[in-house]
Amino acid sequence: IGVGLVGFGLFFILFGMLLYFDSVLLAFGNILFLSGLVFIIGFRRTFTFFFQRPKLKGTSFFLGGVLIVLMRWPFLGMLLEAYGFITLFR
């Protein structure tokens, strides 16, 4: 279930970007991606991964970008998410 949710989440994010940053598709993709991640590695491991002390800056930018996309500012939100993603997995 988790791999499917992550796959659909990535598909909706890509499709939302191809349709000139459609905010509904991007928000749906973000929600599916994060819920799929929870299903794959578990809630506790997901929480400890995102809220480690050295990764707090990347987490704040990534989750802030998700929040900005949910508030219908898709381009700015995706920029914040991309920076947070790069900072998290560096």
Side-chain angles (χ1 to χ4, degrees):
I1 293 174
V3 174
L5 287 174
V6 167
F8 277 120
L10 291 175
F11 170 74
F12 279 113
I13 289 172
L14 178 67
F15 198 57
M17 280 196 233
L18 288 175
L19 291 176
Y20 299 111
F21 292 95
D22 183 34
S23 61
V24 174
L25 289 174
L26 290 174
F28 194 60
N30 284 330
I31 291 169
L32 285 175
F33 179 76
L34 290 175
S35 63
L37 191 64
V38 169
F39 270 101
I40 290 175
I41 63 175
F43 184 74
R44 179 173 287 158
R45 287 175 127 180
T46 304
F47 186 79
T48 56
F49 172 76
F50 277 109
F51 293 103
Q52 291 176 3
R53 188 87 165 149
K55 296 182 180 185
L56 215 51
K57 179 181 174 184
T59 300
S60 63
F61 274 100
F62 183 74
L63 294 179
V66 170
L67 184 68
I68 296 294
V69 167
L70 289 174
M71 292 171 37
R72 297 195 179 236
W73 288 70
F75 189 71
L76 179 64
M78 288 307 289
L79 285 175
L80 289 174
E81 280 184 46
Y83 178 72
F85 189 80
I86 290 169
T87 307
L88 270 173
F89 293 105
R90 180 170 9 165

